[in-house]
Amino acid sequence: MTDNLTDTEIKLKVKDLKIELFNSIEDVYKFIEENAYHLELNWDLTDLFVKFRNHTKSDDEKQKAQWEIECFMFDFKGARVFSFSYSTGKNIGEVKKYPELDEFQKEAFEYLKHRISNTKNDLLSARYNHLLWKGLSGIKNRVYAIKSINSYINSIKQFYGLYTRDKNKENPYQIGRQYETLVGLCNEVNAGIDEVKGLTKFLLFEAKSLEFYSKHGIIDDMLGQPKLFKQRDFTDTLLIFEQELKREKSKSDDFMWVNYHLPTAIKVAQKCKLDVKKWHNEMGFAYLRMAEKETEDDRLWLKQNDYAKAIQSFALSGNGEKKKETEQLYFELKPKVKLDNVRIDFDEETVKKLKEFQDYINNVAENLLKTEPFEIYSAIANGFFFPKYSDVFPASQNNKNAFLDFVTTIQFDKNKNISQPAKEEDNNEKLYTTYSYQINNSVLPFLHYIFIPGIKSGHLTFENFLSFLVEKSWIGQPHRTIDLGGEENEVNWVQILTPAIVEYFVQVQSWVSSKYYLPSFVLCIDSLTLKIEGLLRNFSERANISTSVGRAKGIQEAYIHNVLENETIKKYFNEDDLLFFNYLFANEGGLNLRNNVAHCFYNYNEYSSDKMLLLIAALLRIAKYNYKISTGGTEPNS
């Protein structure tokens, strides 16, 4: 079949290939065998099987293509395996375990064994064998891990060969990803150590075309595997840093040096029991070069910060002369620094108390993490560590700048539209400003200390989170409705919420497991934000509270702010939770998450983990209520 394809067609993305030229799945195998590395560089391996699965008429070939698709939906981060697909159960309330290879059928594992015996491509062999090593009991065998290690080594060498030929920057990235996985697997099974060390030596000292940033990543991975790489394995690695520092061009990227490369060099020097002062000295000079490049008046505060970091570095290096010179530069710059925003300098006592408070938050979170997951979720659901309305409202009314009430205030929204808030909206803004301050300084650090370490350790998982919703809240109870045709339908909100929850847990686990992985919270924030609106509407429906609102075009379903403004629904939620919900979703003064998500006002960088943490907290606080209690308030389920 591949003989019918021109060189130009092979270089095209998979979406441009003529799938009709593949007469059978054997044609696909042959094409992938010959072009796997090229397809991987274009992130196209899975797409080809998707395209063929949708094209072929054979059920057997469709199944084989589907197994290949599922195979490539697993990714490896060191010794961990992650899945980037999910499924929910057919039965109402059922939460299937994910991502686990249990869902990869036994027939699929037998298929992988067959593929291993027929492929000569190390890129494919590494993945197939790695999945078998991570497979079910009775399938898992150390032999597969060893074969996978050997294939990863050959695959990395192949990517390097491609890089020397075409200089495609994707090749070093693939080398880094596969090396990180390789050393994690090698450390896990305690096999292939000599071979991996041989590869490491080749990449660091013999692979002349490999750029410094790639070698730095390899050294960083070595430091992350202290059982695998001993002190002697780092011999001469500091020469790599020294040689790079001699290149004038490399000094143009001083930001990378001070934040990544030199800290690694210091760790290597410490491991090898060598003098670290020279590296702190290099750090000082790098900060000075960064300071010299800051010439704009509105960036002098950055210049001042660079001088401060340089002073610290020269102090650690013992370079008293440069330290003194930089201190003089710092002193002369101080009068010139101007900030557009108001700056409040805390005295030492205040700084000490703030640090003690952060330590206190950390200790509280650590102690809570020692309890069972359901207890942790229950604590958050009940508003533990969240500010109370009775404290926030008086604080927001304590306006020390009352003279501003006589000034016409013009505000800009995030899209640079000008608005003049009404008096009521101004009061809301004061309330939410005070509330936001407490959220940012206590609640978010607390949630971060709970969820990030909790997910990293495996104590908190999407499985026990979803199980909490199923077993401990109204959300896990099916809701029956009657459609226009008189048919009964069941709605299971756990199934609807699962994608966002799973996505967040997987993104965080990938994030904390690999320095090569940059998490994206776009999908989970978009999904959960909009689902919570529906969830609150469904709560109202279950409680027999109207969700219909009259609009210009007729009667329509209520939006989230309509639901929260309903006087009856306010009797169900306590004032602390209502304050939190309005802060997250209100139109004026709060984060306005629903509006900003629905109208695509957020840019990529605004999709932060913090927003998802607040959404998860909101979900838990909604989950605790019992909609069956009709009036006069309600008690939590948990």
Side-chain angles (χ1 to χ4, degrees):
M1 186 284 314
T2 53
D3 293 338
N4 297 325
L5 292 175
T6 66
D7 291 340
T8 301
E9 285 177 313
I10 291 176
K11 292 178 181 178
L12 289 174
K13 298 281 286 184
V14 162
K15 65 182 179 65
D16 300 313
L17 286 175
K18 299 174 182 177
I19 198 63
E20 294 80 10
L21 295 176
F22 295 85
N23 299 318
S24 69
I25 199 167
E26 295 297 330
D27 288 342
V28 180
Y29 293 153
K30 182 179 179 182
F31 181 81
I32 287 180
E33 192 79 12
E34 297 170 357
N35 299 284
Y37 291 92
H38 170 74
L39 292 170
E40 181 73 359
L41 292 179
N42 288 335
W43 301 88
D44 266 357
L45 267 173
T46 306
D47 292 347
L48 182 56
F49 279 111
V50 171
K51 202 168 184 178
F52 181 76
R53 179 200 62 188
N54 297 338
H55 166 72
T56 183
K57 303 300 182 183
S58 166
D59 290 339
D60 179 62
E61 289 187 334
K62 284 183 181 293
Q63 179 61 76
K64 290 177 178 178
Q66 182 61 34
W67 281 332
E68 291 281 356
I69 293 166
E70 293 175 11
C71 171
F72 282 94
M73 282 184 175
F74 290 97
D75 200 9
F76 303 100
K77 306 294 181 186
R80 294 176 179 268
V81 60
F82 294 92
S83 172
F84 292 98
S85 66
Y86 67 89
S87 60
T88 53
K90 295 180 180 179
N91 300 322
I92 299 299
E94 178 184 356
V95 179
K96 299 186 77 173
K97 292 184 176 181
Y98 158 92
E100 288 194 3
L101 286 170
D102 293 16
E103 304 304 323
F104 202 52
Q105 307 101 313
K106 290 184 179 180
E107 293 88 345
F109 285 114
E110 293 301 319
Y111 169 77
L112 284 185
K113 293 178 183 179
H114 173 75
R115 290 286 288 127
I116 287 170
S117 64
N118 286 279
T119 183
K120 296 180 181 179
N121 187 291
D122 286 299
L123 181 64
L124 302 176
S125 176
R127 173 171 290 273
Y128 296 149
N129 278 291
H130 202 159
L131 283 174
L132 286 171
W133 161 244
K134 290 292 186 179
L136 303 172
S137 177
I139 293 175
K140 183 173 184 175
N141 191 305
R142 193 166 182 268
V143 171
Y144 295 126
I146 295 172
K147 288 182 178 179
S148 183
I149 288 171
N150 293 331
S151 294
Y152 276 124
I153 292 173
N154 293 332
S155 178
I156 289 170
K157 290 180 179 178
Q158 180 70 18
F159 275 119
Y160 177 70
L162 291 172
Y163 182 58
T164 59
R165 187 185 70 190
D166 57 27
K167 300 302 179 185
N168 186 333
K169 295 293 185 181
E170 183 66 25
N171 283 295
Y173 176 75
Q174 293 292 344
I175 290 172
R177 287 183 68 225
Q178 295 217 355
Y179 183 85
E180 180 186 55
T181 301
L182 169 63
V183 295
L185 179 58
C186 184
N187 184 69
E188 180 185 9
V189 299
N190 193 29
I193 296 175
D194 291 339
E195 292 80 359
V196 169
K197 289 185 177 181
L199 173 68
T200 304
K201 185 177 180 180
F202 167 78
L203 293 173
L204 292 179
F205 301 108
E206 300 173 32
K208 302 300 182 183
S209 297
L210 202 60
E211 296 186 38
F212 170 73
Y213 69 88
S214 295
K215 295 186 178 185
H216 168 263
I218 291 168
I219 295 172
D220 194 45
D221 285 330
M222 293 170 65
L223 288 169
Q225 301 290 351
K227 293 182 180 179
L228 191 61
F229 295 99
K230 306 302 180 182
Q231 177 181 329
R232 62 180 177 274
D233 297 312
F234 291 88
T235 302
D236 294 334
T237 54
L238 289 176
L239 292 175
I240 297 172
F241 294 87
E242 293 176 357
Q243 291 168 0
E244 184 65 16
L245 281 169
K246 291 177 181 178
R247 295 176 63 245
E248 196 62 34
K249 182 180 178 181
S250 71
K251 295 181 179 179
S252 63
D253 201 359
D254 286 308
F255 178 85
M256 294 295 293
W257 275 107
V258 299
N259 288 284
Y260 300 101
H261 304 328
L262 286 170
T264 299
I266 290 171
K267 291 178 184 177
V268 172
Q270 291 171 335
K271 189 174 186 70
C272 295
K273 297 181 172 55
L274 299 173
D275 186 12
V276 299
K277 290 184 177 180
K278 64 176 295 183
W279 302 107
H280 284 297
N281 201 47
E282 291 289 356
M283 188 93 78
F285 282 111
Y287 275 120
L288 281 182
R289 291 192 294 270
M290 290 173 63
E292 290 170 2
K293 294 174 184 176
E294 299 292 354
T295 57
E296 300 295 329
D297 289 346
D298 61 348
R299 293 178 62 86
L300 291 181
W301 64 279
L302 290 171
K303 189 184 192 80
Q304 185 182 28
N305 184 62
D306 290 336
Y307 281 149
K309 295 290 184 62
I311 291 169
Q312 295 172 359
S313 298
F314 288 132
L316 291 171
S317 72
N319 191 339
E321 182 179 351
K322 291 303 298 183
K323 175 176 176 290
K324 187 174 181 180
E325 289 178 12
T326 310
E327 286 172 341
Q328 182 63 30
L329 292 171
Y330 181 93
F331 172 77
E332 293 173 358
L333 180 64
K334 277 203 303 183
K336 302 176 184 178
V337 175
K338 296 180 181 179
L339 299 176
D340 292 333
N341 297 321
V342 176
R343 176 174 174 171
I344 301 175
D345 292 319
F346 295 123
D347 55 35
E348 292 185 5
E349 183 63 25
T350 302
V351 172
K352 180 181 178 182
K353 289 181 178 179
L354 288 173
K355 185 178 183 305
E356 289 174 350
F357 181 61
Q358 289 300 311
D359 292 339
Y360 165 72
I361 294 174
N362 196 6
N363 289 334
V364 170
E366 286 181 352
N367 288 330
L368 186 57
L369 273 175
K370 295 176 183 177
T371 64
E372 293 298 315
F374 276 25
E375 293 184 37
I376 297 172
Y377 299 139
S378 294
I380 297 172
N382 290 316
F384 180 68
F385 227 82
F386 276 74
K388 297 184 178 299
Y389 181 88
S390 58
D391 295 326
V392 176
F393 181 77
S396 69
Q397 302 303 303
N398 185 18
N399 186 4
K400 296 183 180 180
N401 297 315
F403 68 91
L404 291 176
D405 291 343
F406 301 96
V407 178
T408 300
T409 303
I410 297 178
Q411 293 182 341
F412 292 86
D413 65 15
K414 71 185 310 299
N415 297 301
K416 299 185 179 179
N417 297 312
I418 295 177
S419 62
Q420 295 182 0
K423 185 67 176 178
E424 181 181 353
E425 294 170 357
D426 186 52
N427 289 334
N428 283 340
E429 182 182 4
K430 292 176 183 178
L431 176 66
Y432 293 136
T433 297
T434 304
Y435 189 72
S436 178
Y437 178 82
Q438 296 190 37
I439 289 288
N440 289 324
N441 287 277
S442 59
V443 174
L444 278 174
F446 170 72
L447 293 176
H448 180 90
Y449 291 144
I450 287 291
F451 279 95
I452 305 303
I455 294 174
K456 182 178 182 180
S457 67
H459 188 54
L460 301 183
T461 67
F462 67 83
E463 296 162 310
N464 55 45
F465 185 94
L466 292 172
S467 295
F468 178 85
L469 296 182
V470 171
E471 299 174 25
K472 298 294 183 180
S473 81
W474 66 272
I475 296 174
Q477 301 172 21
H479 180 60
R480 294 173 175 82
T481 60
I482 305 297
D483 63 19
L484 289 174
E487 296 292 326
E488 182 177 274
N489 297 317
E490 282 192 344
V491 177
N492 180 2
W493 271 97
V494 172
Q495 290 179 324
I496 297 173
L497 296 168
T498 290
I501 300 303
V502 169
E503 174 73 6
Y504 178 71
F505 277 76
V506 170
Q507 288 292 333
V508 171
Q509 190 63 267
S510 300
W511 181 22
V512 299
S513 299
S514 172
K515 64 179 177 297
Y516 291 96
Y517 190 81
L518 295 177
S520 172
F521 302 109
V522 176
L523 291 179
C524 52
I525 290 175
D526 278 356
S527 178
L528 190 54
T529 298
L530 300 181
K531 297 303 182 294
I532 285 181
E533 178 177 21
L535 192 67
L536 287 170
R537 253 199 322 264
N538 186 247
F539 183 93
S540 299
E541 292 170 1
R542 296 182 190 220
N544 200 31
I545 300 171
S546 173
T547 60
S548 300
V549 177
R551 305 189 193 279
K553 296 182 179 180
I555 306 299
Q556 298 178 5
E557 284 298 290
Y559 295 146
I560 193 166
H561 62 278
N562 301 129
V563 175
L564 294 174
E565 289 168 359
N566 188 292
E567 291 301 323
T568 305
I569 203 71
K570 289 180 180 179
K571 297 177 182 179
Y572 280 77
F573 301 143
N574 66 46
E575 62 181 3
D576 296 334
D577 287 329
L578 281 172
L579 175 60
F580 180 46
F581 299 156
N582 278 293
Y583 167 73
L584 279 183
F585 305 111
N587 288 337
E588 301 294 338
L591 289 182
N592 205 3
L593 270 176
R594 188 269 180 196
N595 186 65
N596 288 327
V597 165
H599 296 288
C600 302
F601 288 154
Y602 285 142
N603 61 46
Y604 183 83
N605 293 328
E606 290 176 288
Y607 282 92
S608 65
S609 175
D610 287 349
K611 287 186 176 68
M612 191 60 188
L613 287 173
L614 293 177
L615 285 167
I616 288 175
L619 178 61
L620 289 171
R621 293 178 76 166
I622 293 170
K624 72 183 176 186
Y625 288 99
N626 187 348
Y627 63 88
K628 294 181 179 179
I629 300 176
S630 56
T631 59
T634 178
E635 293 297 324
N637 285 332
S638 53

